[in-house]
């Protein structure tokens, strides 16, 4: 069974704080993704990584950065949290580069920025 | 621009059949996924279609028409545990997943 874990289920931070969200997968997948999910909107891709130390911007990278120092771990960083970053953050991983490879999701982190 | 449309919410009765539609306009097409997401939980994979036609998997079936930019997810013999959001996602020409906003399905006894 593929397992993707995220460091926190719920997180409350204050405006201006630096926030780290961590994601770990145990299936030796090359590809990892960070999304945010907001009511009425589809999943929006923030960043993805197809290999260690490699990263690519998604659709909404502004205000975020990422780090992938080890294959199993992909971190999302909010350098200076703002209230409009209050959201559900979902991490996913996928093996290989085939079209049919399914993305496996972590349980999500619900972040509230006050 | 890229766009995926699904109904926001649907209601159905336990034991019945429901069809959730998805239409898409994307730059290229390399397959369509359906995911299920229970409230507060992660999305989980349901089905994948890349060729036209119907894929059946137990109580769930998924249909694709590439010429119409259209798919549907068919759920039979509905159970209360099927209450969830159903997400449609399309892989575009860059092999990136474009997600719909999801359809919240409410099952009533």
């Amino acid at each position: 069974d593929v397992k993707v874990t995220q460091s926190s289920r719920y997180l409350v931070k204050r405006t201006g704080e630096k926030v780290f969200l961590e994601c770990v997968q145990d299936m030796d997948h090359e590809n990892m993704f960070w999304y945010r999910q907001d009511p009425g909107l589809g999943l929006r891709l923030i960043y993805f990584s197809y290999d260690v130390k490699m990263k690519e911007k998604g659709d909404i990278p502004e205000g975020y950065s990422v780090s992938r120092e080890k294959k199993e771990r992909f971190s999302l960083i909010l350098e200076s949290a703002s209230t409009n970053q209050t959201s559900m953050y979902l991490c996913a991983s996928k093996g290989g580069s085939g079209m049919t490879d399914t993305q496996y999701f972590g349980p999500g982190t619900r972040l509230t920025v006050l | 621009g890229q766009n995926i449309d699904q109904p926001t919410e649907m209601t159905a009765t336990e034991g019945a059949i429901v069809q959730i539609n998805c239409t898409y306009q994307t730059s290229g097409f390399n397959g369509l996924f359906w995911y299920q997401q229970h409230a507060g939980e992660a999305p989980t994979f349901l089905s994948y279609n890349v060729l036209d036609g119907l894929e059946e998997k137990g109580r769930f079936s998924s249909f694709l028409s590439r010429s119409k930019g259209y798919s549907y997810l068919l759920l039979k013999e509905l159970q209360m545990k099927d209450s969830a959001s159903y997400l449609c996602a399309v892989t575009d020409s860059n092999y990136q997943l474009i997600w719909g906003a999801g359809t919240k399905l409410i099952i009533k006894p």
Side-chain angles (χ1 to χ4, degrees):
Chain A
D1 251 8
V2 175
K3 195 159 179 73
V4 181
T5 58
Q6 294 183 228
S7 48
S8 307
R9 291 298 303 270
Y10 300 93
L11 209 53
V12 179
K13 295 291 182 181
R14 298 214 173 267
T15 301
E17 282 192 80
K18 191 168 186 175
V19 182
F20 292 88
L21 303 181
E22 293 206 316
C23 175
V24 178
Q25 49 96 0
D26 67 356
M27 284 303 293
D28 203 35
H29 283 169
E30 289 86 357
N31 303 281
M32 297 186 75
F33 307 81
W34 274 107
Y35 294 93
R36 63 178 283 175
Q37 186 176 33
D38 299 290
L41 300 175
L43 289 168
R44 292 183 291 167
L45 183 64
I46 303 171
Y47 269 96
F48 66 100
S49 168
Y50 53 88
D51 203 351
V52 176
K53 296 194 185 296
M54 307 302 288
K55 59 186 179 184
E56 294 285 343
K57 292 180 180 179
D59 300 318
I60 51 165
E62 297 78 19
Y64 303 94
S65 61
V66 289
S67 171
R68 187 140 182 231
E69 296 297 317
K70 294 184 178 181
K71 192 174 186 180
E72 67 271 18
R73 189 180 298 268
F74 191 33
S75 301
L76 180 70
I77 302 148
L78 288 67
E79 294 289 341
S80 178
S82 63
T83 54
N84 62 13
Q85 292 178 310
T86 291
S87 187
M88 169 69 88
Y89 290 89
L90 288 163
C91 173
S93 75
K94 175 171 88 80
S97 58
M99 300 181 273
T100 60
D101 291 330
T102 302
Q103 291 192 17
Y104 295 91
F105 285 85
T109 296
R110 187 166 293 282
L111 173 67
T112 302
V113 183
L114 301 176
Chain B
Q2 311 214 79
N3 197 49
I4 296 185
D5 286 317
Q6 311 176 229
T8 303
E9 188 174 295
M10 299 181 71
T11 303
T13 305
E14 190 177 15
I17 299 173
V18 72
Q19 178 175 311
I20 303 173
N21 296 325
C22 171
T23 58
Y24 62 89
Q25 294 168 312
T26 56
S27 56
F29 177 84
N30 282 303
L32 185 144
F33 291 84
W34 283 97
Y35 278 77
Q36 181 189 58
Q37 185 178 24
H38 285 100
E41 297 183 11
T44 54
F45 171 78
L46 282 179
S47 68
Y48 173 77
N49 294 71
V50 66
L51 299 176
D52 291 349
L54 189 68
E55 295 277 344
E56 296 188 76
K57 195 184 288 187
R59 294 189 298 115
F60 293 7
S61 304
S62 56
F63 172 83
L64 175 67
S65 169
R66 287 171 296 170
S67 62
K68 295 182 180 178
Y70 168 70
S71 172
Y72 67 72
L73 181 69
L74 191 72
L75 291 74
K76 302 177 185 176
E77 301 168 17
L78 285 170
Q79 301 175 9
M80 298 303 292
K81 67 179 182 179
D82 297 330
S83 292
S85 288
Y86 291 86
L87 313 181
C88 174
V90 171
T91 306
D92 69 9
S93 55
N94 294 319
Y95 299 103
Q96 296 303 317
L97 267 180
I98 312 300
W99 294 84
T103 299
K104 183 178 181 180
L105 177 63
I106 299 167
I107 310 295
K108 296 188 173 179

